[in-house]
Amino acid sequence: MAQLIRRAAALNKSLPAASFAARGLATASTSSITVETSLPFTGHNIDPPSRSVETSPQELLTFFRDMALMRRMEIAADSLYKAKLIRGFCHLYDGQEAVCVGMEAAINRKDCIITAYRDHCIFLGRGGTLLEAFAELMGRKDGCSKGKGGSMHFYKKEGGFYGGHGIVGAQVPLGCGLAFAQKYSKDESVTFAMYGDGAANQGQLFEALNMAALWDLPAILVCENNHYGMGTAEWRAAKSPAYYKRGDYVPGLKVDGMDALAVKQACKFAKEHALKNGPIILEMDTYRYHGHSMSDPGSTYRTRDEISGVRQERDPIERIRKLVLAHDLATEKELKDTEKEVRKEVDEAIAQAKESPMPDPSELFSNVYAKGLGTESFGADRKEVRTVLP
Amino acid sequence: MHRAAPRQRQEHNGEQAVPHRYTDGRVSTQRGGCSNSGSITEEGMHKSSPLNPTLKRSSPNGSTLSRFLFWELYREADMLGVLRREVACQGAHAWGLEQGLRVIASRALSSSAKAMTVRDALNSALDEEMSADPKVFVMGEEVGEYQGAYKITKGLLDKYGPERVLDAPITEAGFAGIGVGAAYYGLRPVIEFMTFNFSMQAIDHIINSAAKSNYMSSGQISVPIVFRGPDGAAAGVGAQHSQCYAAWFGACPGLKVLTPYSSEDARGLLKAAIRDPDPVVFLENELLYGESFPVSAEVLDSSFCLPIGKAKIEREGKDVTITAFSKMVGYALQAGDILAKEGISAEVINLRSIRPLDRAAINASVRKTNRLVTVEEGFPQHGVGAEICASVLEDSFEYLDAAVERISGADVPMPYAANLERMAVPQVEDIVRAAKRTCYRSTALAATA
């Protein structure tokens, strides 16, 4: 029963649950609705797209469900971490769901996404399942990286998701490399290289951006500006926190990252631009409710009022809920039912993940190489544990 | 928004060469088709050219020169007897004279052997692999229009076009990362570092983005990339340009680390590296680029490949095992010649592969000779020799008749003054002395404090 909404490669969205079909919206579900984004886009060296976004009831309901699922997954991960079932690092994305969901609505699975360590929801968006996510977090065999990666190293290559990277900023040159390969292979697809406001100051980002601009690579750099690089506010880390302008000769767009439709519009615009003209920067103005990671309470460098203020005024799920209700696409109760369903899905996935065993000890030595050539490898006591890599 | 006019885009359909407009206005001539042996020359000696002021031939004790003369003479002679007389007159101590003559005897029946510089070996290997697989591309500083800082990539831009031979800005972290990202997607990049000293700027991508990815993703993301370039000491380039990185990279699981010595090594190992699905660090040596080595017809074939992880016994012996890699193999062979005159038969192992290390070959050799000297150019602490010594102690302790000996670079940053530089790198006499120590044949040992 573990159904996560899966997007087929051809962006064919199916209606999520029976409750919506009951309203007889099946025929009307793809009808067009035009919504204005919360704010106009601000462009740097480029004319921004219109703030009128075409959407549909189906899309809005899917946004709601997907974001609710992601929110629920992250909250559940918080509890699992406190229960010590998740160890090490755990960086949660709740509050930022609109970025990932809006992006998916604008692209397909041939496009690539690469991000840093706050990657659980992006993994789901690319086709990853809840079971794979929870099992990986708990270090079990059914995890997407078979338990060997952990929270920061989720991958789904067939879905165009290249991780999941622990070194701040490294994913940006890697993303430009993906774009390079897409252009080299003439695939007519683009790469979204995502990074935070903290990583925005990394030198290698500018090195890669320079080459992307020189060679007209279809690279879209997406700064998820949640205003805090761990405990350091953006104004303390960056002389210029206008990250969409930091590309200088590379055009940029500032986007309200809490508005899934604005994100969708920006990503669609960016993809068209990148395919024709090379790199572009998108700055998503977003917010994370949790601290930087599970070891950070998140309240020593910002006030609780600020956090609750954003939750009241700008929460991405609430925005969609209001839109759905305003356009009469579902009732309050139906939306609440969706949230209950989603919670049930998450709980079931967790139960299943808990049943998954830990990797076999022989997995210590697997995948060191793609082609091991029969070389020897050793455990801590090489006289005790010695193996041959296949 | 103002943009400069786009560079001329070339449509190229795989095999045909693409005319490229150089920054000085020249346009390269179109060359149709791909020839597999375009850059192999009969004379095998790399010619100096205005574009290559750095060319120098190193002949520390004249034996490289004598080896070359040996092969030149071979081509003149058509009888083994004549050859033997000629060589004896020259007084040449070519490597493994008897072995060499045996090889020639068999060769005399087939086509004559060619000689090839390491530079040409690398160039031809790159050329052939790029021709065979359209996913292979080259990126680095000056690899294109400049024809390569050390001319290793000479001619590739003309042949394959600017989409496959990319001149990168001086941004190692950036272009190494771009190379790794391209490898994630499935291309096969060959990233050149002008020297491996600059790889430190990109080392995060080599280790964290490349080496560890296959493991962290449990096999989903493999990284078929090659990082290549000159490593170790050159001549007079000072502390920041002389470090050997074999030990550091050799420590990392997930990487393969290769160290060619001869032209055969260069061709076979570079081809193997490019074909390998894992990240390979390919450590060349600037001073070897101009050295010429004999290459058989088999080596010249475009399908030639050497196995990764297997060492080569360059010189068989029975009294002491000397392990070496890269330039030090030449020194070890010379040491072997000197030791032979004193009745010590040295077995010289050319490691070829630092990771995986051919422990089986090293241990088998030590079990035969009972003595070990490891030679490397790099810093002594935590060096390649340390690993080899530990491995031999663990696996072949009872076979050792003497303490293991390590010869390495000095434990100092590389000085510039020629006399100090000479003291900072191993010399042939150091290897000879250490070998004699293992045979208890040294003269008075240096007094220890």
Side-chain angles (χ1 to χ4, degrees):
Chain A
M1 203 244 144
Q3 297 167 39
L4 171 69
I5 297 302
R6 285 178 163 279
R7 286 172 208 271
L11 204 65
N12 179 20
K13 297 188 210 22
S14 59
L15 210 57
S19 57
F20 295 133
R23 282 182 64 91
L25 284 176
T27 45
S29 62
T30 47
S31 66
S32 184
I33 304 176
T34 307
V35 180
E36 289 252 297
T37 61
S38 61
L39 298 166
F41 299 101
T42 326
H44 165 73
N45 287 350
I46 198 165
D47 289 325
S50 150
R51 59 189 288 206
S52 295
V53 187
E54 296 284 308
T55 182
S56 70
Q58 187 190 65
E59 182 171 77
L60 289 173
L61 293 170
T62 311
F63 277 1
F64 182 84
R65 191 180 206 284
D66 286 353
M67 289 198 282
L69 187 72
M70 290 171 181
R71 178 70 58 91
R72 194 61 234 146
M73 174 180 71
E74 297 294 75
I75 306 291
D78 176 302
S79 310
L80 288 173
Y81 192 90
K82 287 172 175 150
K84 296 202 191 321
L85 283 161
I86 300 176
R87 306 175 317 117
F89 291 125
C90 189
H91 306 86
L92 299 176
Y93 199 73
D94 51 315
Q96 299 183 213
E97 299 89 349
V99 176
C100 137
V101 152
M103 187 181 291
E104 287 295 340
I107 65 178
N108 61 47
R109 292 284 167 76
K110 279 183 67 189
D111 298 313
C112 302
I113 299 181
I114 192 169
T115 188
Y117 41 75
R118 208 175 295 280
D119 58 347
H120 309 159
C121 300
I122 295 165
F123 168 74
L124 280 194
R126 294 264 87 189
T129 65
L130 287 171
L131 173 61
E132 284 175 321
F134 284 118
E136 188 60 36
L137 287 171
M138 294 196 269
R140 309 294 175 94
K141 203 159 160 174
D142 293 314
C144 53
S145 301
K146 313 236 175 64
K148 286 169 64 171
S151 165
M152 299 188 290
H153 306 296
F154 284 19
Y155 304 87
K156 197 148 210 55
K157 190 166 174 180
E158 71 264 22
F161 180 53
Y162 287 83
H165 291 272
I167 307 295
V168 170
Q171 75 275 18
V172 177
L174 295 173
C176 292
L178 291 170
F180 176 91
Q182 287 170 316
K183 182 169 178 172
Y184 188 101
S185 312
K186 300 181 167 38
D187 281 350
E188 291 299 304
S189 50
V190 299
T191 294
F192 288 81
M194 304 173 76
Y195 60 99
D197 47 290
N201 301 311
Q202 276 263 315
Q204 58 184 319
L205 188 153
F206 296 95
E207 294 188 13
L209 192 60
N210 176 48
M211 284 181 268
L214 266 178
W215 300 331
D216 296 318
L217 303 182
I220 298 153
L221 271 63
V222 180
C223 179
E224 292 184 279
N225 182 8
N226 58 24
H227 308 283
Y228 296 93
M230 200 154 132
T232 305
E234 60 183 327
W235 56 269
R236 287 209 303 136
K239 185 72 177 171
S240 164
Y243 302 106
Y244 70 110
K245 290 189 187 169
R246 294 277 290 273
D248 183 21
Y249 44 81
V250 171
L253 206 62
K254 184 158 174 165
V255 185
D256 177 3
M258 306 300 259
D259 178 351
L261 291 168
V263 172
K264 172 187 150 180
Q265 184 88 318
C267 291
K268 186 156 167 286
F269 175 78
K271 177 171 173 174
E272 279 162 25
H273 181 275
L275 282 172
K276 282 205 301 285
N277 304 112
I280 183 170
I281 296 181
L282 298 178
E283 181 187 335
M284 306 288 183
D285 186 345
T286 183
Y287 200 83
R288 54 166 163 82
Y289 297 138
H290 268 87
H292 163 73
S293 71
M294 286 305 298
S295 13
D296 170 26
S299 49
T300 56
Y301 47 85
R302 48 186 195 171
T303 61
R304 290 188 200 280
D305 284 345
E306 180 189 294
I307 306 170
S308 54
V310 174
R311 213 187 266 276
Q312 298 269 63
E313 310 288 316
R314 301 179 66 207
D315 184 271
I317 301 177
E318 288 317 300
R319 164 178 294 280
I320 299 295
R321 191 198 302 271
K322 286 189 193 117
L323 265 176
V324 164
L325 294 175
H327 282 91
D328 206 28
L329 306 176
T331 62
E332 280 246 25
K333 178 176 184 307
E334 279 167 335
L335 293 180
K336 284 232 159 33
D337 285 344
T338 303
E339 285 176 302
K340 284 208 196 90
E341 265 169 49
V342 140
R343 194 182 174 127
K344 186 156 170 281
E345 255 184 65
V346 166
D347 289 342
E348 279 171 9
I350 292 177
Q352 220 185 326
K354 281 180 179 169
E355 294 302 305
S356 174
M358 293 186 113
D360 189 84
S362 64
E363 293 291 336
L364 179 67
F365 295 106
S366 63
N367 307 122
V368 176
Y369 296 112
K371 198 163 154 197
L373 304 171
T375 65
E376 276 189 307
S377 189
F378 310 97
D381 180 350
R382 58 210 286 145
K383 301 251 157 116
E384 196 49 29
V385 181
R386 207 161 172 153
T387 189
V388 164
L389 301 179
Chain B
M1 167 189 63
H2 172 73
R3 284 180 74 244
R7 277 213 305 278
Q8 209 173 343
R9 252 163 257 259
Q10 314 285 0
E11 284 308 309
H12 82 100
N13 50 11
E15 265 82 45
Q16 285 173 345
V18 181
H20 171 74
R21 179 177 296 282
Y22 283 63
T23 27
D24 65 0
R26 287 179 293 140
V27 177
S28 67
T29 53
Q30 179 117 27
R31 283 166 53 186
C34 288
S35 116
N36 279 344
S37 52
S39 51
I40 296 164
T41 54
E42 267 285 351
E43 78 268 11
M45 290 297 296
H46 186 80
K47 290 186 164 57
S48 278
S49 76
L51 287 175
N52 185 13
T54 61
L55 173 69
K56 48 183 169 293
R57 284 184 51 73
S58 72
S59 310
N61 293 344
S63 98
T64 313
L65 196 56
S66 64
R67 196 182 302 125
F68 173 68
L69 282 171
F70 179 71
W71 290 103
E72 286 289 17
L73 287 166
Y74 161 67
R75 280 196 285 280
E76 306 294 328
D78 53 5
M79 274 166 30
L80 202 52
V82 170
L83 179 61
R84 212 186 277 264
R85 254 199 316 279
E86 288 286 299
V87 167
C89 287
Q90 291 291 329
H93 278 286
W95 136 87
L97 181 60
E98 283 305 317
Q99 280 177 305
L101 288 169
R102 253 179 264 126
V103 165
I104 293 162
S106 61
R107 293 275 183 274
L109 298 171
S110 57
S111 56
S112 63
K114 295 184 163 72
M116 192 184 219
T117 60
V118 171
R119 178 179 285 109
D120 286 343
L122 294 167
N123 183 273
S124 62
L126 279 168
D127 189 352
E128 287 161 24
E129 293 306 303
M130 287 182 79
S131 171
D133 186 349
K135 295 203 168 108
V136 179
F137 70 92
V138 173
M139 187 186 288
E141 293 151 15
E142 310 297 358
V143 295
E145 291 192 13
Y146 196 85
Q147 308 297 324
Y150 300 97
K151 302 296 171 276
I152 307 301
T153 53
K154 184 171 180 205
L156 295 180
L157 174 64
D158 279 357
K159 194 163 178 186
Y160 297 104
E163 282 166 17
R164 294 183 71 191
V165 180
L166 292 115
D167 280 323
I170 309 176
T171 49
E172 277 77 5
F175 69 74
I178 285 180
V180 176
Y184 282 1
Y185 196 80
L187 297 187
R188 304 191 86 95
V190 178
I191 302 296
E192 177 176 301
F193 291 118
M194 199 180 282
T195 75
F196 264 89
N197 298 286
F198 316 130
S199 73
M200 293 200 285
Q201 305 210 300
I203 203 163
D204 177 60
H205 281 298
I206 301 173
I207 310 298
N208 282 323
S209 304
K212 297 177 183 171
S213 281
N214 199 61
Y215 191 83
M216 290 193 295
S217 69
S218 236
Q220 259 191 84
I221 312 273
S222 68
V223 191
I225 194 168
V226 176
F227 297 103
R228 52 156 292 274
D231 174 66
V237 292
Q240 294 179 338
H241 289 76
S242 304
Q243 193 166 329
C244 175
Y245 292 86
W248 286 13
F249 287 123
C252 296
L255 282 185
K256 290 170 179 165
V257 181
L258 301 177
T259 49
Y261 162 61
S262 62
S263 299
E264 174 180 329
D265 291 355
R267 263 183 70 78
L269 292 177
L270 185 54
K271 280 162 163 294
I274 293 172
R275 297 178 199 176
D276 195 275
D278 291 307
V280 181
V281 169
F282 193 83
L283 304 174
E284 302 159 4
N285 184 289
E286 190 207 316
L287 300 176
L288 283 176
Y289 284 152
E291 279 212 26
S292 193
F293 294 86
V295 282
S296 68
E298 191 202 340
V299 171
L300 293 174
D301 190 77
S302 64
S303 63
F304 177 66
C305 205
L306 283 173
I308 290 177
K310 294 278 172 269
K312 180 183 179 202
I313 313 281
E314 293 282 353
R315 180 191 214 284
E316 274 179 33
K318 54 182 185 51
D319 293 330
V320 57
T321 298
I322 305 179
T323 66
F325 60 93
S326 187
K327 187 161 165 52
M328 292 290 119
V329 175
Y331 282 31
L333 289 170
Q334 288 173 55
D337 293 340
I338 294 171
L339 289 163
K341 286 202 245 139
E342 306 199 26
I344 298 175
S345 157
E347 177 146 290
V348 175
I349 301 183
N350 172 4
L351 292 175
R352 284 182 164 174
S353 181
I354 302 296
R355 187 173 186 100
L357 191 60
D358 195 348
R359 293 171 214 278
I362 297 166
N363 278 283
S365 175
V366 173
R367 288 178 183 208
K368 182 173 75 165
T369 65
N370 314 119
R371 293 172 172 80
L372 174 68
V373 176
T374 68
V375 185
E376 66 196 292
E377 226 181 54
F379 298 135
Q381 192 164 335
H382 314 300
V384 174
E387 174 62 32
I388 294 175
C389 290
S391 175
V392 163
L393 283 170
E394 284 158 359
D395 288 343
S396 309
F397 181 69
E398 317 76 42
Y399 292 82
L400 284 168
D401 285 346
V404 295
E405 295 274 355
R406 290 183 290 167
I407 294 295
S408 69
D411 205 11
V412 297
M414 181 67 68
Y416 167 66
N419 61 329
L420 297 180
E421 185 182 46
R422 199 177 183 281
M423 290 166 67
V425 216
Q427 302 299 330
V428 176
E429 54 259 29
D430 294 315
I431 306 172
V432 171
R433 194 186 314 112
K436 281 183 175 169
R437 279 203 299 265
T438 65
C439 299
Y440 304 104
R441 299 264 283 276
S442 58
T443 48
L445 289 170
T448 52

